[in-house]
Amino acid sequence: MPADQSLSDAPSAHHSNAADPYPCHARAIPPSAAWAISYGYCRTSLDALHGATDPRCPKDCQHKAPRSVVKQFDLIFHERGAMAAAEAARRAKHGND
């Protein structure tokens, strides 16, 4: 299916260049929403299939979960659910709160 040629390819306030790093890597806290579960790390980086290797997330991003945390998160998520996995991820990042 052809692309809509009437739309501009130039970045805008809502659409950036898809090759640029995500802007959240420069923020003090990981991206989240008030209603969302706090994981301690960027939730996308905890995705064992794609998020952990996302090329737009810089390798030195302070919010990116290490591979060891991603593996543990994935196991706990599938065995005990999101809340248990979130608690384990927060503990891995911040220690026993």
Side-chain angles (χ1 to χ4, degrees):
M1 184 153 118
D4 183 349
Q5 298 299 318
S6 67
L7 298 175
S8 170
D9 285 339
S12 71
H14 299 289
H15 302 93
S16 65
N17 180 344
D20 289 344
Y22 295 122
C24 56
H25 78 279
R27 296 181 188 148
I29 58 172
S32 187
W35 52 265
I37 298 170
S38 171
Y39 293 94
Y41 294 99
C42 167
R43 175 61 183 95
T44 302
S45 77
L46 290 163
D47 180 337
L49 295 176
H50 302 291
T53 58
D54 187 336
R56 290 191 62 195
C57 185
K59 293 193 183 308
D60 63 346
C61 178
Q62 61 186 331
H63 312 302
K64 190 175 211 163
R67 290 297 295 163
S68 60
V69 173
V70 173
K71 288 179 184 178
Q72 182 74 4
F73 178 87
D74 198 42
L75 290 172
I76 295 171
F77 188 93
H78 290 289
E79 290 176 1
R80 299 190 334 229
M83 295 305 281
E87 182 180 344
R90 287 192 306 270
R91 199 174 325 117
K93 181 155 189 177
H94 302 294
N96 294 329
D97 295 336

